Amino acid sequence: VNRRHVTMLVEKRELESAQAGTQKEYGEDLVVFERNGADIKNKMLGNFTFMYSALYTCASELMHARYRNSSRWIILLCDGDDSGGGRSEAGCRELLRSCCGELNLVIISVGSDVTRGCVLQSFADAISHEGGVGKYIAAFQEQDENQLQDAFAQVEESLLLVGGGQTEAGCS
């Protein structure tokens, strides 16, 4: 974790800027989908969170044999919500349990309106019960710089404690 990058995200409100205006307008880049039969003009694009699908895909990918000799970590920064995407919380939990301690997961949810905190905790628990590092961190006040810095400090601590990992490129 590069503390300067975290500070920039918090102080310059880059997360808020990136999320502003997620509603996409119908444009030339979507014409190909319309030509293939998609009704783009009547679809609302943007501001969806496919958290379960993203977590499932990342965990599945990291469990491939080509990563056998690597430290397998997922750091999930989220708003705590899933708005569809095709995967269920039960399916994610089952996959995480099947990782047999070979996967580590740290989840940071940001915001006071997180509705699935118990689900996120159950994902972390599924990992830790199998022998991996599973941690859920809630930063309820997204405006509180100290909460966000503390959350990322906990991620850094987890990475350092397990396997003596490095947290910045070029560090040894």
Side-chain angles (χ1 to χ4, degrees), residues 125-137:
D125 291 345
I127 292 290
S128 60
H129 285 135
E130 296 301 321
V133 173
K135 186 176 239 184
Y136 170 55
I137 305 162

PDB file of all heavy atoms in Angstrom, residues 125-137:
ATOM      1  N   ASP A 125     -15.030 -14.968   7.117  1.00  0.00           N
ATOM      2  CA  ASP A 125     -15.055 -16.129   8.017  1.00  0.00           C
ATOM      3  C   ASP A 125     -14.836 -17.435   7.258  1.00  0.00           C
ATOM      4  O   ASP A 125     -14.147 -18.333   7.748  1.00  0.00           O
ATOM      5  CB  ASP A 125     -16.364 -16.196   8.791  1.00  0.00           C
ATOM      6  CG  ASP A 125     -16.513 -15.079   9.821  1.00  0.00           C
ATOM      7  OD1 ASP A 125     -15.503 -14.417  10.144  1.00  0.00           O
ATOM      8  OD2 ASP A 125     -17.655 -14.862  10.274  1.00  0.00           O
ATOM      9  N   ALA A 126     -15.418 -17.540   6.068  1.00  0.00           N
ATOM     10  CA  ALA A 126     -15.256 -18.757   5.258  1.00  0.00           C
ATOM     11  C   ALA A 126     -13.779 -18.997   4.952  1.00  0.00           C
ATOM     12  O   ALA A 126     -13.305 -20.133   4.995  1.00  0.00           O
ATOM     13  CB  ALA A 126     -16.063 -18.651   3.963  1.00  0.00           C
ATOM     14  N   ILE A 127     -13.058 -17.932   4.659  1.00  0.00           N
ATOM     15  CA  ILE A 127     -11.619 -18.045   4.380  1.00  0.00           C
ATOM     16  C   ILE A 127     -10.848 -18.402   5.644  1.00  0.00           C
ATOM     17  O   ILE A 127     -10.016 -19.312   5.645  1.00  0.00           O
ATOM     18  CB  ILE A 127     -11.081 -16.725   3.778  1.00  0.00           C
ATOM     19  CG1 ILE A 127     -11.644 -16.496   2.375  1.00  0.00           C
ATOM     20  CG2 ILE A 127      -9.559 -16.689   3.770  1.00  0.00           C
ATOM     21  CD1 ILE A 127     -11.137 -17.435   1.313  1.00  0.00           C
ATOM     22  N   SER A 128     -11.124 -17.687   6.740  1.00  0.00           N
ATOM     23  CA  SER A 128     -10.347 -17.922   7.964  1.00  0.00           C
ATOM     24  C   SER A 128     -10.631 -19.294   8.569  1.00  0.00           C
ATOM     25  O   SER A 128      -9.725 -19.919   9.124  1.00  0.00           O
ATOM     26  CB  SER A 128     -10.578 -16.810   8.992  1.00  0.00           C
ATOM     27  OG  SER A 128     -11.929 -16.724   9.353  1.00  0.00           O
ATOM     28  N   HIS A 129     -11.850 -19.801   8.426  1.00  0.00           N
ATOM     29  CA  HIS A 129     -12.161 -21.141   8.950  1.00  0.00           C
ATOM     30  C   HIS A 129     -11.408 -22.237   8.195  1.00  0.00           C
ATOM     31  O   HIS A 129     -11.212 -23.332   8.718  1.00  0.00           O
ATOM     32  CB  HIS A 129     -13.663 -21.415   8.901  1.00  0.00           C
ATOM     33  CG  HIS A 129     -14.413 -20.679   9.962  1.00  0.00           C
ATOM     34  ND1 HIS A 129     -15.583 -20.005   9.690  1.00  0.00           N
ATOM     35  CD2 HIS A 129     -14.157 -20.482  11.277  1.00  0.00           C
ATOM     36  CE1 HIS A 129     -16.011 -19.436  10.802  1.00  0.00           C
ATOM     37  NE2 HIS A 129     -15.165 -19.708  11.777  1.00  0.00           N
ATOM     38  N   GLU A 130     -10.984 -21.937   6.971  1.00  0.00           N
ATOM     39  CA  GLU A 130     -10.238 -22.917   6.181  1.00  0.00           C
ATOM     40  C   GLU A 130      -8.727 -22.741   6.318  1.00  0.00           C
ATOM     41  O   GLU A 130      -7.963 -23.445   5.684  1.00  0.00           O
ATOM     42  CB  GLU A 130     -10.652 -22.827   4.705  1.00  0.00           C
ATOM     43  CG  GLU A 130     -12.102 -23.200   4.450  1.00  0.00           C
ATOM     44  CD  GLU A 130     -12.427 -24.618   4.897  1.00  0.00           C
ATOM     45  OE1 GLU A 130     -11.598 -25.530   4.725  1.00  0.00           O
ATOM     46  OE2 GLU A 130     -13.533 -24.824   5.437  1.00  0.00           O
ATOM     47  N   GLY A 131      -8.289 -21.764   7.126  1.00  0.00           N
ATOM     48  CA  GLY A 131      -6.864 -21.601   7.379  1.00  0.00           C
ATOM     49  C   GLY A 131      -6.209 -20.425   6.693  1.00  0.00           C
ATOM     50  O   GLY A 131      -5.018 -20.180   6.872  1.00  0.00           O
ATOM     51  N   GLY A 132      -6.945 -19.671   5.903  1.00  0.00           N
ATOM     52  CA  GLY A 132      -6.383 -18.481   5.265  1.00  0.00           C
ATOM     53  C   GLY A 132      -6.619 -17.252   6.118  1.00  0.00           C
ATOM     54  O   GLY A 132      -7.214 -17.324   7.192  1.00  0.00           O
ATOM     55  N   VAL A 133      -6.152 -16.117   5.647  1.00  0.00           N
ATOM     56  CA  VAL A 133      -6.430 -14.852   6.316  1.00  0.00           C
ATOM     57  C   VAL A 133      -7.739 -14.327   5.743  1.00  0.00           C
ATOM     58  O   VAL A 133      -7.848 -14.102   4.535  1.00  0.00           O
ATOM     59  CB  VAL A 133      -5.306 -13.820   6.081  1.00  0.00           C
ATOM     60  CG1 VAL A 133      -5.698 -12.463   6.628  1.00  0.00           C
ATOM     61  CG2 VAL A 133      -4.013 -14.302   6.700  1.00  0.00           C
ATOM     62  N   GLY A 134      -8.711 -14.165   6.599  1.00  0.00           N
ATOM     63  CA  GLY A 134      -9.997 -13.600   6.217  1.00  0.00           C
ATOM     64  C   GLY A 134     -10.319 -12.455   7.149  1.00  0.00           C
ATOM     65  O   GLY A 134     -10.390 -12.643   8.363  1.00  0.00           O
ATOM     66  N   LYS A 135     -10.474 -11.256   6.595  1.00  0.00           N
ATOM     67  CA  LYS A 135     -10.694 -10.087   7.438  1.00  0.00           C
ATOM     68  C   LYS A 135     -11.717  -9.181   6.781  1.00  0.00           C
ATOM     69  O   LYS A 135     -11.661  -8.935   5.571  1.00  0.00           O
ATOM     70  CB  LYS A 135      -9.374  -9.342   7.632  1.00  0.00           C
ATOM     71  CG  LYS A 135      -9.445  -8.198   8.600  1.00  0.00           C
ATOM     72  CD  LYS A 135      -8.067  -7.596   8.781  1.00  0.00           C
ATOM     73  CE  LYS A 135      -7.723  -7.710  10.248  1.00  0.00           C
ATOM     74  NZ  LYS A 135      -6.460  -7.091  10.575  1.00  0.00           N
ATOM     75  N   TYR A 136     -12.653  -8.699   7.596  1.00  0.00           N
ATOM     76  CA  TYR A 136     -13.644  -7.717   7.129  1.00  0.00           C
ATOM     77  C   TYR A 136     -13.464  -6.445   7.930  1.00  0.00           C
ATOM     78  O   TYR A 136     -13.467  -6.467   9.160  1.00  0.00           O
ATOM     79  CB  TYR A 136     -15.066  -8.254   7.280  1.00  0.00           C
ATOM     80  CG  TYR A 136     -16.130  -7.204   7.043  1.00  0.00           C
ATOM     81  CD1 TYR A 136     -16.156  -6.486   5.856  1.00  0.00           C
ATOM     82  CD2 TYR A 136     -17.098  -6.937   8.007  1.00  0.00           C
ATOM     83  CE1 TYR A 136     -17.126  -5.512   5.637  1.00  0.00           C
ATOM     84  CE2 TYR A 136     -18.070  -5.971   7.785  1.00  0.00           C
ATOM     85  CZ  TYR A 136     -18.081  -5.264   6.606  1.00  0.00           C
ATOM     86  OH  TYR A 136     -19.023  -4.302   6.385  1.00  0.00           O
ATOM     87  N   ILE A 137     -13.288  -5.342   7.224  1.00  0.00           N
ATOM     88  CA  ILE A 137     -13.085  -4.040   7.847  1.00  0.00           C
ATOM     89  C   ILE A 137     -14.180  -3.104   7.345  1.00  0.00           C
ATOM     90  O   ILE A 137     -14.361  -2.947   6.140  1.00  0.00           O
ATOM     91  CB  ILE A 137     -11.709  -3.454   7.464  1.00  0.00           C
ATOM     92  CG1 ILE A 137     -10.590  -4.439   7.814  1.00  0.00           C
ATOM     93  CG2 ILE A 137     -11.489  -2.097   8.122  1.00  0.00           C
ATOM     94  CD1 ILE A 137      -9.278  -4.156   7.105  1.00  0.00           C
TER      95      ILE A 137
END
